[in-house]
Amino acid sequence: MAEPERTERRLRPAPLLFEPSEAAADPEHFFDLESIEDPRELLARATELTLAFRAAQDRAIEFQAVAAAQLADPRRFDRLSPAAIAERAEWTEDYARKMIEFGEGLLRGTAEA
């Protein structure tokens, strides 16, 4: 992923508004999209939400990687092995190692997405 694209994603293209509990309980209700009748407006709002969810996913993955790197830090007396981290995060051990490496890069400020 190119750096300019990553910068654009962090601009938070659409706010993720919390829905009232009654609306969230209705499986047909999703961020009020079902009430938008104009297809142009529906496409625009659905696209905004898609971009916002992608940006949120990217940020959450970065936080997972940082946490994994911190948990695996050999300077910690309670350091966890990649296998233990994998078990906690429901990852494979190989993926845990990659996330630890990615998180170490983020902590150093040298990670590439």
Side-chain angles (χ1 to χ4, degrees), residues 28-40:
E28 296 299 315
H29 185 83
F30 187 74
F31 289 89
D32 209 28
L33 293 178
E34 71 285 343
S35 70
I36 300 174
E37 294 183 19
D38 177 6
R40 288 175 189 88

Side-chain angles (χ1 to χ4, degrees), residues 57-75:
Q57 178 186 13
D58 289 346
R59 291 292 292 148
I61 289 170
E62 288 177 355
F63 279 104
Q64 282 183 311
V66 166
Q70 290 172 335
L71 288 169
D73 188 338
R75 296 173 296 191

